[in-house]
Amino acid sequence: TSPFAWLRTRFYYLLIRLYFDQEFSVEEFTRGAKQAFSVVSKLLSQRKLDLLEELVSAEVLQVLKEKISLLPDSHRDALAADIDAIMYTTEGDVRIYYDDDGIKFVSILMCFWYLNGANLPDEVPGGAKVFQIVFGDESTKEKKHLLTANYEFQREFTEGAKPDWTITRIEHPRLLE
């Protein structure tokens, strides 16, 4: 992350604490985002989309239903991320905005890098290489892929709104396209 992006993100977090939620914590949000990512990615890989209705926006859920049905099993298996397999997490973007009716929203894009042992080809369509990590020696060799995912979390901060974060964007590059 560039220093400018890091400062911009921290400034937005300060605005969230000052004007929307005095108890907002970046660390707590990141912990919750990792848990949500792990749960949602596993449900996606298991095709249990009906269990995502409270976590994912209706628009995203509709798109996912179409895409998941077309995925090969290896790609679907690669969507699942155990929370212990998440290697790195960072914020991609933070936005604060108001709609025409004065409703206040905060969106935070989270980027995740995770290890997955799905049986993926070394290259995927478009010629992109998939990063691989091999664990163990020759007799117990285990190959894992380092994959990325981007999930955008949105919360309405208008007075009286439920204090729940909803996932409004799900991207698994090279898997869920």
Side-chain angles (χ1 to χ4, degrees):
T1 306
S2 74
F4 175 74
W6 185 86
L7 282 173
R8 181 180 172 276
T9 301
R10 295 304 176 253
F11 175 71
Y12 276 113
Y13 286 150
L14 176 64
L15 290 177
I16 293 168
R17 277 194 301 277
L18 289 174
Y19 296 106
F20 299 106
D21 182 359
Q22 294 176 349
E23 296 179 19
F24 179 81
S25 160
V26 177
E27 294 79 15
E28 187 178 321
F29 175 82
T30 301
R31 235 183 340 271
K34 285 172 72 171
Q35 289 175 341
F37 165 62
S38 179
V39 168
V40 169
S41 68
K42 287 177 186 176
L43 291 173
L44 285 174
S45 74
Q46 298 166 0
R47 295 184 183 167
K48 295 182 178 178
L49 302 180
D50 53 321
L51 299 177
L52 296 176
E53 289 179 7
E54 296 294 317
L55 303 170
V56 177
S57 72
E59 298 84 12
V60 170
L61 195 54
Q62 185 59 40
V63 171
L64 288 172
K65 286 178 181 178
E66 295 169 12
K67 289 183 176 184
I68 293 291
S69 66
L70 302 173
L71 281 182
D73 288 344
S74 61
H75 283 75
R76 200 184 74 241
D77 293 343
L79 295 174
D82 286 327
I83 198 157
D84 295 335
I86 300 171
M87 306 307 294
Y88 183 70
T89 304
T90 188
E91 307 91 8
D93 191 22
V94 179
R95 292 181 291 142
I96 297 172
Y97 56 96
Y98 298 80
D99 73 1
D100 294 336
D101 298 325
I103 299 175
K104 304 176 238 181
F105 292 97
V106 171
S107 291
I108 302 175
L109 178 66
M110 296 296 293
C111 306
F112 303 96
W113 285 261
Y114 64 102
L115 291 175
N116 183 289
N119 186 20
L120 292 173
D122 292 344
E123 289 192 26
V124 293
K129 282 255 186 225
V130 175
F131 290 102
Q132 297 178 26
I133 300 172
V134 178
F135 296 97
D137 58 20
E138 286 300 316
S139 61
T140 61
K141 191 164 44 171
E142 179 184 4
K143 182 168 68 170
K144 296 224 180 216
H145 299 280
L146 181 61
L147 302 169
T148 62
N150 303 311
Y151 281 46
E152 183 177 59
F153 296 84
Q154 183 181 83
R155 179 177 166 195
E156 180 182 343
F157 279 94
T158 308
E159 192 170 322
K162 291 193 308 186
D164 298 333
W165 290 90
T166 302
I167 299 171
T168 55
R169 182 167 77 184
I170 294 178
E171 298 172 341
H172 283 263
R174 298 186 296 258
L175 295 175
L176 192 61
E177 295 180 340

